[in-house]
Amino acid sequence: MKGYNNSNATKVVPLSVTKAQGKQRHTTCGMKREHFELSTVIIRLILTITAVVFALLFLIQNVEQFALLQDVDKTFELSSISLAVVAQVGRERGLSGGYISSSGGANADKVIAQRLVVDERVTEFQAFVKANSFSSEVTKTIDAVQEMLATLHAHREKVTDLEVTGAYSLDWYSLLNFNLLSIGRKLPTVIYDTDMSNLMVSYIALGSVIEFAGIERGTFNTVLGAKSFTGNTFERVVRAMQTQQVHFETFQSYAPQDQLDKYTSTVTGSDVNQTSVFQGYALASANVADIPATYPGLTLDTWWATRSAVIDLQIKVADYSKDQLSKESDNIFQRNQRNLAFSVIGTFASSVSAIYLTVGAIVGFKRFKRIEEKRQTFINNVQHHMSMRLQKADANKLKGDVQKIGQAANSIEQHQAITIKDSDSIEAMVNKFDEDLAEIEEESSVPAWQAETNFGLHD
């Protein structure tokens, strides 16, 4: 039909084209849904992995703190044993100084008895060291102590045979005690609990007070054995007194009030007062030729007994401080044990949840893929089924319309004239033809959900 032009007619799109567009539309929708599901899986994985990582970090932190606390606890126990050794070594040091300065005329029996006490404390120290492991830094200090303890017997023989001076003997014992006290000196720097760190500082400071009180006792004992100051012994006594005061101020700064009250109520009495008197005599005797003769009542024995009594009182306060530290350490240890248990449980729960969510997400994604494949297959079948139905249902209708249009055209050609009635009739037929094609197009472009519903009803 040449020259035919109907602007109002519906544009006809081939069925194959509409079918392809529908398939593309369903494919695009499926890809979007697949992308959404995959994104959900990835987000779940990221969240669960993040939760597990934080749980593991928290667990590692608690494990490290637990291990550190165990090491601190062992080192503190060793430092307590060390302080007991220091106290007894200090007594041997002082008695040995008096023995040497008196050329063996004083303290001989006391030195022998004190050596046995020291040996007991050393045996306890070495047994604890053997039964436990310590940090590398503490181990170095322990090794230094062990090296000196290995030569303790040889040093004692030199003292017995008067082969060393009183000053040398004092320095040797003092170096041993310095190494023993050094075992606990690093503890406050690694303890994360402030209260326990302060208790540790005060405990170590009090231990240093006791040690330098022992140095003062031993040095002045040597002086009284010789009846006067010789060499640099006066400077040694003064330095020992000054160093005690420095460490005592540290103790006062870090000790809790109950420890200060304990010290005040314990380190008091006649021995404390008499020691202060004797110390005044010592400071005033730098140039005195015969101190015992100048100050009646100040003898080797009275000085030793009085000063030792005060040191014993200080040791009682140190024991009280140690008990406080032990209680605080136990509390922290138990608290850390609970934290570690919670961390283990939390990490386990997070791991199980992460595994469950991850497996669930993966299984869900695979299930979604299978459902999507089935859905796409279902849509393709629906489209094919609808196409076949439309082709069968409308083939005769289209054929009839075409025949009618063809007959009208033949009529026009035969009569060589077109009347208004004929023209209207042909136009109506063409419009009817367009409507039929448009109707087929619409039916072939039925939405997926409607097509599935229709398929389910009419299959």
Side-chain angles (χ1 to χ4, degrees):
M1 300 197 307
K2 297 179 181 180
Y4 169 71
N5 182 15
N6 184 7
S7 59
N8 294 325
T10 302
K11 183 178 181 181
V12 178
V13 180
L15 184 60
S16 61
V17 175
T18 59
K19 183 177 179 180
Q21 289 176 343
K23 183 176 182 180
Q24 182 180 6
R25 183 165 58 253
H26 293 307
T27 301
T28 303
C29 180
M31 291 178 64
K32 289 181 179 179
R33 290 178 61 188
E34 181 177 347
H35 178 72
F36 175 77
E37 291 291 333
L38 182 60
S39 300
T40 303
V41 172
I42 294 174
I43 291 173
R44 284 185 180 182
L45 286 174
I46 292 174
L47 292 177
T48 52
I49 291 173
T50 302
V52 171
V53 168
F54 277 107
L56 286 174
L57 290 176
F58 185 65
L59 176 61
I60 292 172
Q61 181 184 14
N62 278 280
V63 169
E64 290 177 347
Q65 289 181 352
F66 187 75
L68 175 62
L69 192 59
Q70 285 183 315
D71 187 64
V72 167
D73 189 63
K74 290 186 296 184
T75 304
F76 167 65
E77 183 65 25
L78 181 62
S79 68
S80 299
I81 296 173
S82 299
L83 184 58
V85 178
V86 166
Q88 298 306 322
V89 167
R91 295 180 71 88
E92 181 178 334
R93 171 182 55 197
L95 292 170
S96 297
Y99 172 82
I100 293 171
S101 63
S102 65
S103 300
N107 300 334
D109 294 337
K110 293 180 180 179
V111 168
I112 295 173
Q114 183 60 30
R115 286 174 179 177
L116 296 176
V117 176
V118 170
D119 288 342
E120 291 178 1
R121 294 289 182 268
V122 169
T123 299
E124 182 182 357
F125 172 86
Q126 291 178 329
F128 190 83
V129 168
K130 186 177 180 180
N132 296 277
S133 59
F134 303 91
S135 66
S136 58
E137 189 171 4
V138 174
T139 300
K140 290 180 181 179
T141 306
I142 292 173
D143 291 342
V145 173
Q146 296 283 42
E147 287 178 6
M148 292 200 69
L149 290 177
T151 62
L152 176 60
H153 180 70
H155 175 73
R156 285 171 171 174
E157 287 184 344
K158 292 178 180 179
V159 171
T160 301
D161 297 338
L162 301 175
E163 294 179 0
V164 293
T165 63
Y168 176 86
S169 179
L170 285 169
D171 289 342
W172 192 93
Y173 283 113
S174 296
L175 179 59
L176 173 59
N177 279 354
F178 175 81
N179 288 329
L180 285 165
L181 289 173
S182 295
I183 291 174
R185 285 196 174 114
K186 293 293 183 181
L187 284 176
T189 63
V190 299
I191 298 174
Y192 60 87
D193 184 86
T194 303
D195 292 337
M196 186 174 179
S197 179
N198 290 339
L199 286 172
M200 184 63 72
V201 171
S202 65
Y203 177 72
I204 293 172
L206 186 56
S208 298
V209 170
I210 293 171
E211 163 59 8
F212 282 95
I215 292 175
E216 174 201 329
R217 177 184 60 187
T219 305
F220 198 50
N221 212 46
T222 302
V223 172
L224 292 175
K227 297 185 178 182
S228 63
F229 285 101
T230 59
N232 64 345
T233 51
F234 181 79
E235 288 77 8
R236 285 172 176 264
V237 170
V238 172
R239 186 164 59 248
M241 292 180 180
Q242 291 174 339
T243 307
Q244 283 177 73
Q245 185 59 33
V246 171
H247 288 295
F248 185 71
E249 290 174 357
T250 302
F251 168 75
Q252 289 179 312
S253 299
Y254 286 91
Q257 188 60 44
D258 62 316
Q259 278 193 24
L260 297 177
D261 294 340
K262 180 69 174 179
Y263 189 94
T264 302
S265 62
T266 302
V267 186
T268 186
S270 59
D271 288 325
V272 176
N273 296 332
Q274 188 62 52
T275 296
S276 296
V277 173
F278 286 164
Q279 287 174 332
Y281 292 165
L283 294 176
S285 302
N287 299 316
V288 175
D290 191 341
I291 296 176
T294 305
Y295 301 101
L298 177 57
T299 64
L300 190 71
D301 292 334
T302 57
W303 164 253
W304 179 263
T306 303
R307 195 67 182 94
S308 295
V310 175
I311 292 175
D312 289 341
L313 294 176
Q314 292 174 321
I315 291 175
K316 288 183 179 180
V317 180
D319 290 338
Y320 176 81
S321 176
K322 182 186 72 173
D323 292 340
Q324 281 193 315
L325 263 172
S326 297
K327 293 178 181 178
E328 185 67 21
S329 177
D330 290 341
N331 292 335
I332 295 175
F333 191 81
Q334 291 174 4
R335 186 165 63 246
N336 196 269
Q337 276 185 320
R338 290 194 297 268
N339 292 339
L340 181 61
F342 290 147
S343 298
V344 171
I345 294 172
T347 303
F348 178 75
S350 299
S351 301
V352 171
S353 299
I355 293 172
Y356 175 78
L357 292 175
T358 302
V359 172
I362 294 174
V363 170
F365 181 69
K366 290 182 177 180
R367 181 173 177 271
F368 164 77
K369 289 285 291 182
R370 291 195 301 270
I371 293 174
E372 184 63 23
E373 291 173 357
K374 291 181 179 179
R375 191 182 72 86
Q376 189 62 46
T377 302
F378 178 79
I379 291 173
N380 292 338
N381 291 337
V382 169
Q383 289 178 338
H384 176 72
H385 180 76
M386 292 298 295
S387 175
M388 295 300 294
R389 289 177 61 188
L390 289 172
Q391 288 178 6
K392 291 179 181 179
D394 298 316
N396 293 330
K397 181 195 287 189
L398 291 175
K399 183 177 180 182
D401 291 340
V402 172
Q403 287 177 350
K404 289 179 182 180
I405 294 173
Q407 289 174 359
N410 290 334
S411 177
I412 292 171
E413 290 177 358
Q414 290 175 1
H415 293 89
Q416 300 294 317
I418 300 177
T419 63
I420 295 176
K421 180 178 180 180
D422 291 331
S423 176
D424 292 340
S425 176
I426 293 173
E427 184 175 359
M429 291 180 185
V430 171
N431 289 338
K432 185 64 170 61
F433 182 76
D434 289 341
E435 291 174 0
D436 291 340
L437 288 178
E439 183 180 352
I440 294 171
E441 178 193 9
E442 291 177 359
E443 291 180 355
S444 65
S445 302
V446 176
W449 65 268
Q450 187 176 352
E452 294 172 11
T453 301
N454 292 337
F455 183 73
L457 292 174
H458 301 293
D459 187 29

